[in-house]
Structures are given as C-alpha cells and as structure tokens.
C-alpha cells in the first residue's frame, strides 16, 4: 500500500508535472529534476493545496477546473484565450466566493469576540450552498469554449488534474472526530500554528466529534460519479457542459458539506482557546477569507 505522503506526492506530481510536459512539448531530453528537489517541491505544493482546499469550497468542481488551468501547459497561441476563459470562470464563481467570504469572516469575528453567532453562520451557510448550486449552469458557456480551445492531450490532462484536486480535497477535509490523527490534518496543522497543549487537542477532538453530528454525512460517491461523467464527456471530441445533469447537485453537495464541516470545526475549537490563541486563529481565518487561489493570480 502506498503511504499517505507518497500518495499525496503523486497527486502533486499530477498537478505540477503534467503541465510541465505539455508546456515543453513532452520534452524529457533534459531529464527530471533530482529526486530530493522534486520531493521537496511536491511536499510544498501538496501542503499548500491542502491548506487551500481546507478553507475554500465555493466553486466545487468548477473551482477544481479553474485551478487546474494554472499548470496545464498552455501554448503561447492559446494563452490569451485560456486566460480569458479562466477569468470568466472566476467571475461566474464570484457570488459563491463572496458568500464563502461572508461565512469565514463571520466565523473569524465570532472567534475574536469569544462567542460565535450560530444564526448568522447558518444563514451564511445557506447562502453559500444556494450560490454553489448555480455555479455550473452559469459557467457552462465558458466550459464549452474551454473544450474547444484545448487539444485532446490537454483535455485529458485537465481531467487528471481535476481528479487530483478532488483527492487532495478529500484528504484535507478528513474527519478527525473519531480519534484519528491524519498526517497534515486540520487539527494537527492548527496545533502547530496555535501551539495547542495536549489537553487542548483532546478537548477539541472531543468537541469536534460531538459537533460533527450536526453535519450531514458527505457522500463522496456523488462527487466521484460526477467527475467520471465530466471526464468521459470532456475527453470526447464533442462536449456540452449543460448535458452534465450531475454537476449542480455535486457542486451543491461538495460546497455545502465543506462549508458546514469548516464551520463546525471552528465552533468546536474556539471555546477551548486562550485569548491570544483566539486572536491568532481569527487572524488566520481572515487571511483565508481574503485569499485568492494561485490560479487567479498567475498566467497559465
């Protein structure tokens, strides 16, 4: 069985390496970088992706697609068209992104004050879920145009990268409520960031276990089924995003669960923290609320 670190390294290689090969026309003449450098790069890339997917869910699978364009290896002739379409995808996700920002800011304000307004959190979650359900239909034209712009190998690479983002997302949002301590997990990362004591970790783990009972179970098969349908369709010569009937439901489920899971985790953590730790935690949440993913910052 492949270890967790190794399997995540493979995911990072899919997200980084495939784009490099396409961008260089498959040029392997110079050979791969040294193993140690590649491993360090994979570890850094995976850690950054996990941290992003732990706090940002707003576009669901559409967000995975937009982020995948960053390492796809676009030719100079394609660059302007792909950049325009990525900007279009980000614009279509903006209502959902703004709703997520409201949710995270509400949580941060509550943490800083020492009391989270659960009614405001619930309202923000409802707004986020509703906005996510509309993302795919709003993005359909841009997705169809993207299919036309990309070559068959690039379409296949994009599908692989989207699947890889889903793998990282699942790992980043692993439930830690039943005594598990996943490597690089949410609580482990927080413990390092806030200098949690073992007693605090234990109390948070117990509170998470109790709080997560209010979160409906995630059905990963629904997302996996949609990704399979998307992959099969996007690899074909003809593609119509509106024919993907599983898309809106998958986005709504993924985003709604991700937002609720994050909110209940924050609600479980906050009462256990000392005042200085709450201030640091609130600041981290505000940083995530204003964060822009790498794919929205750089050219493909």
């Amino acid at each position: 069985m492949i270890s967790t670190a190794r399997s995540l390294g493979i995911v990072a290689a899919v997200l980084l390496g495939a784009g490099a090969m396409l961008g260089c026309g498959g040029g392997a003449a110079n050979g791969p970088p040294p193993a140690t450098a590649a491993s360090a790069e994979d570890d850094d890339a995976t850690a950054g992706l996990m941290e992003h997917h732990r706090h940002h869910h707003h576009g669901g699978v559409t967000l995975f697609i937009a982020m995948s364009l960053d390492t796809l290896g676009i030719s100079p002739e394609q660059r302007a068209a792909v950049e325009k379409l990525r900007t279009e995808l980000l614009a279509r996700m903006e209502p959902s992104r703004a709703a997520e920002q409201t949710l995270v800011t509400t949580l941060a304000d509550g943490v800083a004050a020492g009391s989270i307004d659960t009614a405001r959190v619930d309202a923000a979650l409802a707004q986020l879920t509703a906005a996510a359900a509309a993302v795919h239909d709003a993005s359909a034209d841009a997705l169809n145009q993207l299919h036309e712009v990309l070559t068959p190998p690039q379409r296949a690479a994009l599908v692989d990268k989207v699947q890889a983002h889903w793998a990282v997302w699942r790992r980043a949002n692993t439930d830690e409520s039943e005594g598990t301590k996943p490597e690089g997990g949410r609580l482990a990362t927080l413990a390092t960031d806030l200098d949690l004591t073992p007693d605090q970790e234990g109390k948070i783990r117990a509170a998470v276990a109790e709080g997560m009972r209010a979160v409906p179970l995630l059905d990963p098969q629904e997302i996996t089924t949609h990704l399979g349908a998307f992959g099969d369709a996007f690899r074909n010569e003809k593609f119509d995003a509106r024919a993907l009937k599983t898309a809106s439901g998958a986005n709504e489920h993924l985003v709604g669960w991700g937002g609720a899971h994050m909110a209940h985790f924050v609600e479980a953590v906050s009462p256990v923290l000392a005042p200085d730790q709450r201030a640091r935690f609130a600041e981290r949440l505000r940083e995530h609320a204003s964060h822009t993913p790498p794919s929205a910052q750089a050219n493909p």
Side-chain angles (χ1 to χ4, degrees):
M1 181 177 295
I2 301 175
S3 68
T4 299
R6 175 58 178 156
S7 63
L8 286 174
I10 292 172
V11 168
V14 170
L15 290 168
L16 294 170
M21 287 190 294
L22 284 170
C24 298
N30 294 327
T36 53
S39 297
E41 183 179 6
D42 288 350
D43 289 346
D44 290 344
T46 299
L49 281 170
M50 287 185 67
E51 186 67 5
H52 181 272
H53 284 312
R54 196 170 279 140
H55 294 87
H56 301 281
H57 316 284
H58 58 270
V61 173
T62 307
L63 180 60
F64 295 167
I65 294 170
M67 292 181 69
S68 297
L69 295 175
D70 189 48
T71 57
L72 193 57
I74 301 302
S75 71
E77 294 76 18
Q78 295 170 303
R79 190 177 303 278
V82 172
E83 181 61 25
K84 179 181 178 181
L85 291 171
R86 181 169 55 181
T87 300
E88 177 71 13
L89 289 174
L90 294 172
R92 297 305 180 184
M93 288 186 283
E94 177 56 24
S96 186
R97 188 208 62 80
E100 182 178 74
Q101 185 178 49
T102 297
L103 170 63
V104 179
T105 301
T106 299
L107 290 168
D109 291 345
V111 169
S115 178
I116 295 176
D117 187 334
T118 55
R120 286 184 60 201
V121 170
D122 289 345
L125 277 170
Q127 182 182 12
L128 171 61
T129 304
V135 165
H136 179 77
D137 287 345
S139 306
D141 286 341
L143 292 173
N144 289 343
Q145 293 173 45
L146 180 64
H147 180 271
E148 293 178 4
V149 168
L150 298 181
T151 65
Q154 288 170 336
R155 295 169 193 159
L158 178 66
V159 169
D160 288 343
K161 289 171 183 290
V162 170
Q163 292 278 5
H165 273 296
W166 168 231
V168 176
W169 188 96
R170 290 185 68 179
R171 176 60 185 165
N173 293 281
T174 295
D175 189 4
E176 300 176 84
S177 64
E178 296 183 359
T180 61
K181 298 182 180 181
E183 181 182 349
R186 188 188 298 263
L187 181 52
T189 301
L190 189 70
T192 300
D193 194 30
L194 300 184
D195 299 316
L196 298 179
T197 66
D199 181 61
Q200 285 179 311
E201 284 193 62
K203 289 179 178 178
I204 290 172
R205 200 176 302 280
V208 168
E210 179 64 27
M212 289 304 168
R213 295 177 183 176
V215 181
L217 293 177
L218 174 70
D219 179 11
Q221 189 56 48
E222 179 179 357
I223 316 303
T224 299
T225 297
H226 168 61
L227 287 177
F230 166 75
D232 290 344
F234 202 77
R235 287 188 181 96
N236 285 338
E237 183 179 352
K238 300 294 184 180
F239 173 76
D240 180 7
R242 290 186 174 82
L244 294 171
K245 302 305 182 184
T246 56
S248 294
N251 279 346
E252 182 177 6
H253 184 48
L254 178 68
V255 176
W257 185 91
H261 186 264
M262 176 177 61
H264 281 282
F265 180 84
V266 173
E267 290 169 351
V269 169
S270 185
V272 181
L273 301 180
D276 65 314
Q277 291 172 320
R278 285 204 308 272
R280 287 155 60 191
F281 189 31
E283 180 61 26
R284 297 295 184 273
L285 289 170
R286 291 192 179 101
E287 289 171 358
H288 283 294
S290 60
H291 172 68
T292 302
S295 59
Q297 298 171 345
N299 291 326

